[in-house]
Amino acid sequence: MLAAAILFSAPLFLISACSPSPAAEEPDLFEYEGAAVGNNSAVVNTIIQLPAAENFTGIKLETKEQPYGINVFYDWTETSSSDKETAAHNATYLFALIDNAEWIQFDFDTGAGVEQYRLTRERLQAWYGVDLTSVDKQKELEELLDQYLAEDQKIDALLTES
């Protein structure tokens, strides 16, 4: 009887083990909308859901005096992704979600040195022509990113403006 039970349950086990699991839901980054630079948890939880999260090594929050800002650190020694596109993309999300952030600096440790990109809220919003705090849906923000991050020359111009 035990052998018959195993014989009949084995195919059910194999079928359930081979069937695809339900698709993981996209993270809703806008759950952190309205957060402040001083909210370490919101800032980190946002960054670890953005591109290059696997290379993220830490943050430093500048909250003692205004303008408030965020330093984001990445280990870029073993990646071929564009650090400039990552900086522009991730800054867009951070400025849209973190209300009192006025600047964000990204430090990409390449092993041969550190590439730094510093963006201000004012410069990024002027580049987009949009007040990022008025964007309240992830899909809307992604459409904006798709439109503006399609050309490397535009990103280079954004990150090299003085």
Side-chain angles (χ1 to χ4, degrees):
M1 220 166 170
L2 180 60
I6 292 173
L7 185 61
F8 286 116
S9 61
L12 292 175
F13 175 73
L14 289 174
I15 290 170
S16 65
C18 294
S19 61
S21 59
E25 283 189 34
E26 283 281 317
D28 179 16
L29 290 167
F30 276 82
E31 76 178 84
Y32 301 110
E33 185 178 18
V37 170
N39 184 340
N40 182 54
S41 178
V43 175
V44 169
N45 282 319
T46 299
I47 293 169
I48 63 173
Q49 294 182 59
L50 294 173
E54 65 278 3
N55 304 99
F56 171 65
T57 58
I59 62 169
K60 180 178 179 188
L61 304 178
E62 300 292 340
T63 59
K64 291 192 190 251
E65 57 186 55
Q66 293 185 347
Y68 300 130
I70 304 168
N71 285 78
V72 185
F73 302 95
Y74 292 98
D75 177 356
W76 220 247
T77 56
E78 295 186 27
T79 186
S80 60
S81 298
S82 168
D83 55 349
K84 291 179 180 180
E85 186 175 335
T86 299
H89 181 282
N90 292 0
T92 301
Y93 263 98
L94 290 168
F95 283 132
L97 300 173
I98 312 296
D99 285 350
N100 65 341
E102 291 302 320
W103 59 268
I104 301 170
Q105 179 170 309
F106 296 91
D107 291 359
F108 295 91
D109 183 351
T110 64
V114 176
E115 292 291 329
Q116 291 183 330
Y117 305 106
R118 186 179 177 110
L119 287 164
T120 64
R121 176 183 295 280
E122 183 179 342
R123 183 175 5 167
L124 194 59
Q125 289 183 154
W127 189 64
Y128 284 122
V130 172
D131 177 0
L132 291 171
T133 58
S134 70
V135 178
D136 61 356
K137 292 186 176 95
Q138 192 163 338
K139 183 177 180 184
E140 185 181 345
L141 194 58
E142 284 296 327
E143 289 169 358
L144 188 66
L145 288 164
D146 289 344
Q147 180 183 356
Y148 281 83
L149 297 184
E151 296 180 35
D152 290 341
Q153 293 99 351
K154 285 184 179 180
I155 298 169
D156 287 344
L158 170 68
L159 294 171
T160 58
E161 288 179 7
S162 53

